[in-house]
Amino acid sequence: MLRSMTVGAALLGVLAAAAPAQAQPQPPKPDKMMVIDVVSANGSGCPGGSADIQVSPDYTAFTVTYSQYTASVGPEASPLDFRKNCQLALNIRVPSGYTFAIASADYRGYASLRPGATGQQAASYYFQGHSQTARSRHNFKGPMEDSWQRTDQVAIASYSYLPCGEQRYLNINTELRVNRGWSDTKKHTNFLSMDSTDASINTLYRVAWKKCGA
């Protein structure tokens, strides 16, 4: 089922702080809202109905909440549970005269890794039909029994803006992996989860805006 949300078009403070002195004045905030339709959420880490998207109160970011996103190895895990993934396809309609890019993303979860075990969280961001892809990877090493948070920060010069006037899906692919290493998985389970202690995780995506022709 498609879910629609509105996102206001405000330029991120990070752009203002890093703008060179000779830059053009910042564009005014568009009068109209941006609309996000969730075209699909597929993958072993986000089976039907287990991922939800909400918009921040200031309309400069959106959040994905997961409830079943855990990779694991151990006595109760299946052979395929060592890797979980989720692919989001978002149809984002921007106000006329503006375009946007993903500026940063915050991921949070919980890790339970015995000595010798390792984990990995990875993500990629790209517009449908475009070759430019932003990728990130974060590694975890046991022993670890704690909540975790990782941030993907895109350099301003590397922002991949959707070309003005084009309508393309924004694809966000995420993945969790656990490697048992030399840990004893006959007795103990190692897991890496995008799932906080209250059984949900808010993955925050911030957007940067640009006025077309600027």
Side-chain angles (χ1 to χ4, degrees):
M1 176 181 296
L2 296 184
R3 291 166 290 178
S4 294
M5 298 136 224
T6 57
V7 182
L11 188 67
L12 290 180
V14 65
L15 292 178
Q22 69 273 19
Q24 294 296 321
Q26 298 174 19
K29 180 179 177 180
D31 295 329
K32 295 183 179 180
M33 295 294 184
M34 178 179 183
V35 177
I36 299 178
D37 289 333
V38 183
V39 179
S40 64
N42 298 315
S44 54
C46 56
S50 67
D52 184 48
I53 296 183
Q54 300 294 330
V55 177
S56 65
D58 62 359
Y59 302 108
T60 62
F62 60 93
T63 342
V64 182
T65 302
Y66 300 100
S67 61
Q68 299 182 38
Y69 204 160
T70 301
S72 61
V73 292
E76 298 181 1
S78 76
L80 298 179
D81 285 344
F82 79 98
R83 176 185 178 271
K84 296 289 182 173
N85 76 293
C86 183
Q87 176 170 319
L88 299 173
L90 307 176
N91 183 19
I92 302 182
R93 299 191 294 275
V94 299
S96 178
Y98 284 79
T99 187
F100 76 101
I102 292 293
S104 66
D106 293 332
Y107 295 91
R108 296 194 302 275
Y110 193 88
S112 179
L113 301 173
R114 297 278 175 168
T118 59
Q120 184 181 98
Q121 181 266 322
S124 64
Y125 317 89
Y126 64 95
F127 290 106
Q128 178 189 31
H130 288 199
S131 60
Q132 185 170 353
T133 301
R135 293 185 174 88
S136 69
R137 181 177 299 174
H138 303 286
N139 296 317
F140 303 83
K141 183 179 180 181
M144 182 177 181
E145 189 76 38
D146 204 356
S147 299
W148 58 267
Q149 178 172 335
R150 299 293 185 272
T151 297
D152 294 343
Q153 186 71 49
V154 181
I156 292 176
S158 299
Y159 282 170
S160 178
Y161 285 98
L162 178 68
C164 288
E166 290 193 11
Q167 188 65 45
R168 304 274 184 167
Y169 290 164
L170 172 64
N171 293 291
I172 301 174
N173 298 327
T174 57
E175 177 184 279
L176 296 178
R177 286 179 180 262
V178 174
N179 187 324
R180 68 181 183 179
W182 48 265
S183 66
D184 187 353
T185 52
K186 293 182 179 180
K187 296 181 179 179
H188 304 292
T189 296
N190 297 290
F191 70 86
L192 184 63
S193 179
M194 271 207 266
D195 189 339
S196 65
T197 54
D198 62 356
S200 65
I201 173 63
N202 292 331
T203 300
L204 177 65
Y205 296 93
R206 299 182 185 85
V207 294
W209 301 93
K210 183 173 73 172
K211 189 171 178 62
C212 293

